[in-house]
Amino acid sequence: MSPRNTIAESRRTRQRIIDRSVAIASVDGLAGLTIGRLAIDLSMSKAGVLGHFGTKEALQLAALERASAMFTSLVWEPAAALPPGLTRLQAVCEAWIAFLDTERAEFPGGCLFTAASVEFDGHTGPVRDTVARLLTVWRRRLVSELRYAVEAGELPSGADPEQIVFELVGLYLNLNQSIQLFGDTTAPARTRHALARLLGTDQPRAD
Amino acid sequence: MSPRNTIAESRRTRQRIIDRSVAIASVDGLAGLTIGRLAIDLSMSKAGVLGHFGTKEALQLAALERASAMFTSLVWEPAAALPPGLTRLQAVCEAWIAFLDTERAEFPGGCLFTAASVEFDGHTGPVRDTVARLLTVWRRRLVSELRYAVEAGELPSGADPEQIVFELVGLYLNLNQSIQLFGDTTAPARTRHALARLLGTDQPRAD
DNA sequence: CCTACCGATCGGTAGG
DNA sequence: CCTACCGATCGGTAGG
């Protein structure tokens, strides 16, 4: 009478654990995520949960990977087929706003990467390294898109892609805070307005 | 042979506990702050630590209050005597950069308010309320300063103080992340550059 | 401000 | 995937 499942069932269980982990970590952080809480939520034993990952750190990394895959599929991939430069960048920026906007069931407590960044920036180890790597990859993609836009003449030749990305990332950090802490429903519009000014798409720009 | 201290000594002990709490919470968060850790760091008993506050939540609130007092004395007060408007705002902005810059022993893990905001934005209760109240007060002060600047003609009459503060806060959130997660030493300069553009102090501005 | 203690929960393991 | 268990630590209390 072993309750041992088939490989397919085991994979499904693993996915369920990770999905739940992402949701919990979005609210309580990756450190606040506990095996016992997961076991209760999923009606499993603690050993059953932990057996899929071995350690809590491996579970945290799996949650980060999954959140990263969600971000990629929701923010980057829909824009992938668009022409590079400002057009594609604006599509990414709009999808990113939707990603952070409320009523998203997958991240009830807000952006997991922002939370994990703040939670682990004072520590060393694989979790911190993974968060830093993901954020760096995304910042670089934005810089690349802006470089293309400058070369294509969509932005003034003096525009500094790294500087623009610095300001752009700040907008999204504040968008997340405005939504999660203040429930500010005007924040998406404020973000769009700032983006238009930052990218020079609000009005023709003197070069 | 009671080790009971005088009132003055008790107050000093309380200050030591709070100072240490701010430093720990800066790295591990207000939730990651534990009585046992404090007791070890301060060579006290857990009961001795907790006796000053009663509950962990009261300790968290005391740490927030103390951090708030530090922010006020380091960022707002030095600029208080300056003329209102852009002059005073720029002094505040510069002090705020210094506040977030590394090698500040009081906040080894970065801005406690940003950390607490992310940590508690998915919860209810006094800690979340206090964080939200502090951030709201500071945002309002910035808006007031900008309103004055607009009325004084230091900014174009069409400038939107709320919008500018939205963008300004994002810069500081990203400054904190850039310093703490990436150790990016160019971040303060990038912040100054963005501020100059945001406040129109980089060049005379067509109204 | 201490010692001594409480029940609850933590991450993790043994063995099946 | 389970039961049963481990030592450690959590916030907090009693009593002095």
Side-chain angles (χ1 to χ4, degrees):
Chain A
M1 276 314 120
S2 163
R4 186 162 283 122
N5 287 334
T6 66
I7 291 175
E9 281 166 339
S10 175
R11 285 191 52 191
R12 277 194 49 234
T13 300
R14 192 174 197 276
Q15 289 304 318
R16 283 181 61 229
I17 297 170
I18 297 174
D19 285 345
R20 190 78 204 110
S21 296
V22 168
I24 292 174
S26 163
V27 174
D28 293 321
L30 282 170
L33 174 66
T34 70
I35 319 289
R37 164 79 185 280
L38 274 171
I40 291 171
D41 286 7
L42 300 170
S43 299
M44 292 173 63
S45 66
K46 279 169 53 181
V49 171
L50 197 57
H52 282 274
F53 305 93
T55 66
K56 178 177 174 178
E57 188 175 75
L59 171 65
Q60 292 172 321
L61 293 171
L64 271 180
E65 270 176 42
R66 179 137 191 84
S68 163
M70 292 167 60
F71 187 74
T72 296
S73 79
L74 289 167
V75 174
W76 294 106
E77 284 179 4
L82 294 175
L86 267 196
T87 304
R88 192 158 67 186
L89 180 62
Q90 286 179 283
V92 167
C93 285
E94 193 57 36
W96 194 355
I97 291 174
F99 181 82
L100 293 185
D101 217 336
T102 26
E103 73 222 301
R104 180 165 293 283
E106 300 95 331
F107 297 99
C111 181
L112 184 57
F113 310 108
T114 300
S117 164
V118 163
E119 218 176 350
F120 285 88
D121 64 12
H123 302 158
T124 55
V127 176
R128 182 221 162 97
D129 292 348
T130 298
V131 173
R133 195 193 72 234
L134 291 171
L135 297 187
T136 299
V137 166
W138 297 333
R139 287 190 182 215
R140 280 200 194 133
R141 280 196 212 177
L142 295 167
V143 170
S144 295
E145 208 72 42
L146 282 160
R147 286 217 187 96
Y148 186 97
V150 172
E151 284 166 20
E154 298 174 334
L155 285 175
S157 61
D160 178 352
E162 306 250 15
Q163 177 72 30
I164 293 173
V165 168
F166 184 91
E167 301 185 27
L168 191 151
V169 168
L171 292 177
Y172 284 93
L173 289 172
N174 191 24
L175 175 60
N176 188 61
Q177 180 177 91
S178 296
I179 290 173
Q180 296 298 326
L181 188 64
F182 299 119
D184 177 3
T185 55
T186 73
R190 291 223 175 273
T191 304
R192 287 188 191 98
H193 187 238
L195 283 171
R197 218 170 54 85
L198 185 61
L199 302 177
T201 53
D202 51 346
Q203 56 186 353
R205 196 161 176 165
D207 193 350
Chain B
M1 275 313 119
S2 162
R4 187 162 282 121
N5 287 333
T6 66
I7 291 175
E9 282 166 338
S10 175
R11 284 189 54 190
R12 275 195 51 234
T13 300
R14 191 174 199 275
Q15 289 303 319
R16 281 182 64 230
I17 297 170
I18 297 175
D19 285 344
R20 189 80 203 109
S21 297
V22 168
I24 292 174
S26 165
V27 173
D28 293 323
L30 282 170
L33 174 66
T34 69
I35 318 289
R37 164 78 185 279
L38 274 171
I40 292 170
D41 286 7
L42 300 170
S43 300
M44 293 174 61
S45 67
K46 281 169 52 180
V49 171
L50 197 57
H52 282 273
F53 306 93
T55 66
K56 178 177 173 175
E57 189 174 74
L59 171 64
Q60 292 172 320
L61 292 171
L64 271 179
E65 269 175 44
R66 179 135 191 83
S68 164
M70 291 167 61
F71 187 73
T72 295
S73 80
L74 289 167
V75 174
W76 294 106
E77 284 178 4
L82 294 175
L86 269 195
T87 304
R88 191 158 67 186
L89 180 62
Q90 286 179 286
V92 167
C93 286
E94 194 56 37
W96 194 355
I97 291 175
F99 181 82
L100 293 184
D101 217 336
T102 26
E103 72 221 303
R104 180 167 293 285
E106 299 95 330
F107 296 100
C111 181
L112 184 59
F113 309 108
T114 299
S117 164
V118 164
E119 218 176 349
F120 286 88
D121 64 12
H123 302 157
T124 56
V127 176
R128 182 219 163 96
D129 293 347
T130 298
V131 174
R133 194 193 73 236
L134 291 171
L135 297 188
T136 299
V137 166
W138 297 331
R139 286 188 183 217
R140 281 200 194 130
R141 280 196 213 175
L142 294 167
V143 169
S144 295
E145 207 72 43
L146 282 160
R147 286 218 187 95
Y148 186 97
V150 172
E151 284 166 19
E154 298 175 332
L155 285 175
S157 60
D160 178 352
E162 306 250 15
Q163 177 72 29
I164 293 174
V165 168
F166 184 90
E167 302 184 27
L168 190 150
V169 168
L171 292 177
Y172 284 93
L173 289 171
N174 191 23
L175 175 60
N176 187 60
Q177 179 177 91
S178 296
I179 290 173
Q180 296 297 326
L181 188 63
F182 299 119
D184 178 4
T185 55
T186 73
R190 291 222 176 275
T191 304
R192 286 187 191 97
H193 188 238
L195 282 170
R197 218 171 54 85
L198 185 63
L199 302 177
T201 52
D202 50 348
Q203 55 187 353
R205 196 162 174 163
D207 193 350

